[in-house]
Amino acid sequence: MRILEALRIEAENIETGIKRSRLFTQMLDRGEFREQVIAQFLRPFLPPCYGLGNGEIFSSDGQQSAQVDIVFFDAIFSTVLFPK
């Protein structure tokens, strides 16, 4: 299946999810809800070996990212330190 076609088909569900997120008064809760809406859309298009999450990314040489809303990672070989 092509992702753009799927996005057009699922656009209504995503839009409904975004509208539902506005029920949250705390911006952090609203953002987390929206992340879940997008992750639920993406999950069926990814092989099981790829994980979806959020957080910060650390490299082996000590570099660190800022907070990332949706992170794609290798679920087999990546180390997730503090899973939710």
Side-chain angles (χ1 to χ4, degrees):
M1 180 183 285
R2 290 174 274 180
I3 191 105
L4 287 177
E5 231 176 288
L7 185 57
R8 286 185 189 106
I9 292 167
E10 288 295 317
E12 188 175 318
N13 291 335
I14 294 170
E15 186 176 348
T16 299
I18 298 301
K19 286 178 183 176
R20 285 183 182 152
S21 74
R22 294 181 188 132
L23 297 172
F24 293 97
T25 56
Q26 296 292 324
M27 292 306 288
L28 179 62
D29 294 334
R30 186 181 296 184
E32 287 178 356
F33 188 87
R34 289 177 178 178
E35 290 166 18
Q36 289 175 8
V37 168
I38 300 303
Q40 286 173 0
F41 164 72
L42 293 172
R43 181 74 266 171
F45 299 101
L46 297 173
C49 64
Y50 294 110
L52 285 171
N54 60 15
E56 296 176 31
I57 301 168
F58 299 87
S59 69
S60 60
D61 63 356
Q63 295 183 37
Q64 177 181 344
S65 75
Q67 168 70 28
V68 179
D69 292 333
I70 296 180
V71 176
F72 295 84
F73 61 93
D74 183 322
I76 296 171
F77 296 107
S78 296
T79 303
V80 178
L81 295 177
F82 305 108
K84 284 187 175 182

